[in-house]
Amino acid sequence: MVDVFDLTIIGSGPGGYVCAIRAAQLGMKVAVVEQNPTFGGTCLNVGCIPSKALLYASEMFEQAGHNFDKLGIDIDGPRLNLPQMMIHKDDVVSANTSGIAFLFKKNKITSFEGLGSIEKAGKVLVTAKDGKTQSIDTKNIVIATGSVSTDLPNIKIDEEKIVSSTGALKLSKVPQNLVVIGAGVIGLELGSVWARLGAKVTVVEYLDRILPGMDADIAKQFMRMLKKQGFDFKLATKVTNIEKTSKGLSITTEAAAGGEQQNIEADVALVAIGRKPNVTGLGLDKIGVEISERGQVKIDSSYKTNIDGIYAIGDVVEGPMLAHKASDEGVVLAEKLAGHTAHVNYGVIPGVVYTSPEIASVGKTEEELKEQGIAYKVGKFPFMGNGRAKAMLAADGFVKILADATTDRVLGGHILGHNAGEMIHEIAVLMEFSGSSEDLALTCHAHPTMSEAVREAALALGDGAIHI
Ligand code: FAD
Ligand code: NAI
């Protein structure tokens, strides 16, 4: 008798592995196909987790070098042990990826190592590295194959001198000069890691601002902070060529609109201009799964492709390329397949940039509200007016809350500050309950916490903030 799975998921990133676990919990017989030897996808292996391990370690290094004396802790300047920092990162990655292997076993999920392709609805072929193939019979298939970094035309990534985020997570020494191409999330997070460890970082960005898509107020103030941290910015500029020289790299730039060429010398260039959906090797064209102009697998509101029994979630479909968005889609899809009612609220997906300070955002930006012609009011509160922030030398930044001008319903929240990524969730929960800024302002907040600044921003929308 042939084993027939209820669900076969191709890809074990935060979309695929979470979908697998939830489906197994709901009683389905689940298989996961992963081409890599470890589970967890981009996020656990070369994304969220290793980058946060290096961001934490480099921030500690920076703090020990610059802030301890202010706190009355005199130490000789810290010395960098980069190999040990990389061991810390690798240990964190393997603890997390082996955690997924444990959860798969616990939930009786069958895994197959190899490249998955779809022969037709109901049949997945797994090709191992040695060329051996296995066929899986399955009632449903989920494409959770994630994304890969976008290349710059004519520029070849070697992951040593010209790197993507993957190479930037394992440089063997601190570059003297690092050029980051793209002032998005990856460029600013990984640029921060190497700047803190001693690199001179120059960011070349095509647009005339950093972090497109984030609230412009926050991005503007954050850019000033990054300049203080030693970053150089070349906005409205494009890279046209990178040449390898005896000294390192010669990077040619020109104004985005065209014009005179300039050269920047660097020893490493990080290309971080976005990521694109990954459908390589799946054989989707052969079976006729529809792909959008942007390369995303097309789905309906139940994550179903145009072919019955084939679904897709995560970075490979439309929406923000975020781990928690992929995971939420995985849970909802598993629940829908089990006959439950479930949905993802795409209006309330937080986004965090894990720099120093952090940036966290949920809901609409001020620019979006303007574009959509929604009448809104703004409540702002600076961390300068917050006692706990001052005690922790973290008084930079502010909280900004946007609420409907008539109903007071909170439409968006944006925080620039230490631990913003933790604080954003009270605004997210409030928005899930369609709460108003008054609800937030009436909620007692523990003192002294940085979250009091969130309440003060809500107060600023009504009766007025106290500590300003
Ligand atoms: P992925 O995690 O990309 O997983 C896809 C998996 O499918 C991979 O394991 C791949 O090997 C496998 N696969 C692909 N094709 C096949 C095939 N044909 N057969 C078998 N297996 C296949 N997001 C956040 O929310 N927070 C962060 O802090 C964050 N930091 C990031 C930092 C970096 C440097 C990068 C690059 C990304 C970061 N992201 C972050 C984005 C996050 O990693 C992605 O949004 C998330 O991993 C998407 O999950 P996914 O399951 O859709 O795909
Ligand atoms: P991004 O989309 O965040 O930023 C890319 C930047 O490159 C943009 O500012 C864009 O204008 C610029 N750009 C594009 N083409 C260019 C060119 N030719 N020259 C110069 N600049 C150019 O993409 P990024 O940083 O690569 O990250 C990819 C994805 O990974 C993001 O969508 C993000 O969601 C996810 N990610 C999330 C993280 C988090 O949640 N903390 C951390 C890292 C990545």
Side-chain angles (χ1 to χ4, degrees), residues 65-83:
H66 293 99
N67 275 345
F68 278 16
D69 55 343
K70 288 185 211 135
L71 300 171
I73 307 166
D74 289 334
I75 53 163
D76 295 332
R79 276 168 293 118
L80 176 66
N81 180 346
L82 188 59

Side-chain angles (χ1 to χ4, degrees), residues 372-392:
Q372 292 166 20
I374 299 169
Y376 64 93
K377 49 185 180 170
V378 184
K380 268 194 193 178
F381 189 81
F383 286 108
M384 196 61 88
N386 177 276
R388 183 72 183 283
K390 281 193 280 220
M392 299 197 307

